[in-house]
Amino acid sequence: MGRFNRILEPGLAILIPFLDRIAYVKSLKEAAIEIPSQSAITADNVTLELDGVLYTRVFDAYKASYGVEDAEYAISQLAQTTMRSEIGQLTLDHVLKERAALNTNITAAINEAAQAWGVTCLRYEIRDIHAPEGVVAAMHRQVTAERSKRAEILESEGQRQSAINIAEGKKQSVILASEALRAEEINRASGEAEAILLKAKATAAGIDAVGASIASGGLSAQGAVSLTVAEKYVDAFGKLARESTAVVVPGNVGDIGGMIATALSVYGKVGDAQSRTMAKQLLEKEGVVPAQGSENEGEKTQKASSASIIDSVVREFDSRAARK
């Protein structure tokens, strides 16, 4: 009779004719409510056209029937006003970037107001956002400029890195070349030092062998040495005129025999000087005469007599060498 009696549960229900009637039928399924397009102004004074979809479900049929006249219409209007309020707190860039956060805030605001209506808002999705053509063109120019800027930055960074790599490569190349040159110089110096040492050892061994041969050969070996010295003297004199523009020649240049005799006399004088030195050293070793540097204050009185002995021995050696 126009008064609420009960809520019919799912299944078989018995009604008394003329006394009971079904006033409202509510579906407990999730329903999608389309939110029509509407205008909203952002915090930076840009007018946007937005529409969306609201997903709701009735959780209390009594409140949905008697708490509000038209729950769907009330939810739709609440969604529009809430969306305008949330858009007004954000700038255009934040509206485009924070869509998910905007949907969550609108859903929370609707649920807070719709609890008394027996309806809960499951989620709200902004479907389309339409900005003015001038704003869209400016956004396109901004995106183009930003991408151009990033492209130029990346290109400059690439050129910078390329220059650094080239410089580093040249640096490493110079370092490696210097190290290689240093190693080459060290190896060459070591080789030259070893060659000089080997030549010195070979020359010393040759001199020792020649000296031993001369000592063991006696007069015949000394004659051969004299002949070799004479040959080298003549050969060196022959090369002298070819290697220099200024030549100093002896007076008897036409007398080859005299030149050879001169060479032999030079060798003989050198040999006599060496013989005298060896004789003096032998006398000092045998104790016939005192050695140099071994005098004392007591022996200084005998210096004159020792000198006369040395001179007599050397003169005797010279006379025998002359007879030979």
Side-chain angles (χ1 to χ4, degrees):
M1 300 296 294
R3 182 180 178 183
F4 174 77
N5 184 16
R6 68 183 185 276
I7 298 176
L8 299 178
E9 298 295 335
L12 182 62
I14 299 174
L15 298 176
I16 301 173
F18 304 105
L19 295 179
D20 297 331
R21 72 182 178 88
I22 299 176
Y24 301 98
V25 177
K26 298 296 183 180
S27 175
L28 300 182
K29 295 180 181 179
E30 182 177 347
I33 302 174
E34 183 176 355
I35 306 299
S37 179
Q38 59 178 336
S39 298
I41 300 176
T42 62
D44 50 355
N45 297 322
V46 178
T47 303
L48 301 177
E49 292 289 335
L50 303 98
D51 58 2
V53 179
L54 181 63
Y55 296 89
T56 62
R57 187 179 64 185
V58 175
F59 67 90
D60 191 337
Y62 176 79
K63 291 181 179 181
S65 300
Y66 296 97
V68 63
E69 183 67 28
D70 188 349
E72 183 175 340
Y73 177 77
I75 290 293
S76 175
Q77 295 300 312
L78 180 60
Q80 292 182 22
T81 55
T82 304
M83 183 170 60
R84 289 193 189 97
S85 176
E86 293 293 334
I87 292 295
Q89 298 176 10
L90 301 174
T91 61
L92 177 60
D93 293 337
H94 286 85
V95 169
L96 299 177
K97 290 189 298 184
E98 300 179 2
R99 226 176 203 190
L102 183 60
N103 293 336
T104 302
N105 294 338
I106 293 174
T107 301
I110 293 174
N111 283 330
E112 184 178 356
Q115 289 295 321
W117 301 340
V119 180
T120 181
C121 179
L122 301 178
R123 60 189 178 276
Y124 179 85
E125 296 292 340
I126 296 176
R127 188 163 54 185
D128 293 322
I129 299 178
H130 302 282
E133 293 182 359
V135 174
V136 174
M139 292 172 63
H140 289 168
R141 290 196 302 271
Q142 180 182 1
V143 170
T144 302
E146 184 67 23
R147 291 186 180 275
S148 300
K149 172 186 174 183
R150 288 185 349 207
E152 292 178 358
I153 291 175
L154 291 176
E155 184 178 359
S156 63
E157 287 290 335
Q159 293 177 356
R160 174 177 173 272
Q161 190 63 37
S162 175
I164 291 174
N165 293 339
I166 292 174
E168 189 68 23
K170 290 181 179 180
K171 173 185 175 183
Q172 294 296 329
S173 176
V174 171
I175 292 174
L176 293 177
S178 63
E179 291 180 353
L181 181 61
R182 175 174 173 270
E184 181 182 359
E185 294 293 336
I186 292 174
N187 293 335
R188 183 182 293 112
S190 299
E192 292 177 356
E194 292 181 0
I196 293 173
L197 182 61
L198 292 176
K199 288 181 180 179
K201 290 182 179 180
T203 302
I207 293 174
D208 291 340
V210 171
S213 299
I214 293 175
S216 61
L219 296 177
S220 60
Q222 293 182 2
V225 171
S226 300
L227 180 60
T228 302
V229 171
E231 290 177 352
K232 290 185 177 181
Y233 178 82
V234 174
D235 183 62
F237 184 76
K239 292 180 180 180
L240 183 63
R242 294 195 299 268
E243 295 178 355
S244 177
T245 57
V247 182
V248 179
V249 297
N252 58 348
V253 67
D255 187 5
I256 301 301
M259 291 174 62
I260 295 174
T262 302
L264 293 177
S265 65
V266 171
Y267 174 75
K269 290 180 180 180
V270 172
D272 292 343
Q274 292 179 351
S275 300
R276 293 176 63 185
T277 302
M278 292 175 63
K280 184 177 180 181
Q281 292 177 354
L282 181 61
L283 292 174
E284 292 176 352
K285 182 178 181 180
E286 293 296 333
V288 177
V289 296
Q292 293 182 357
S294 60
E295 299 178 333
N296 52 28
E297 296 297 332
E299 293 177 350
K300 287 183 179 180
T301 56
Q302 300 178 358
K303 184 175 182 180
S305 59
S306 297
S308 61
I309 295 174
I310 292 173
D311 292 338
S312 62
V313 174
V314 171
R315 283 194 299 272
E316 181 64 21
F317 182 81
D318 290 341
S319 62
R320 291 185 180 183
R323 287 196 297 271
K324 289 181 181 181

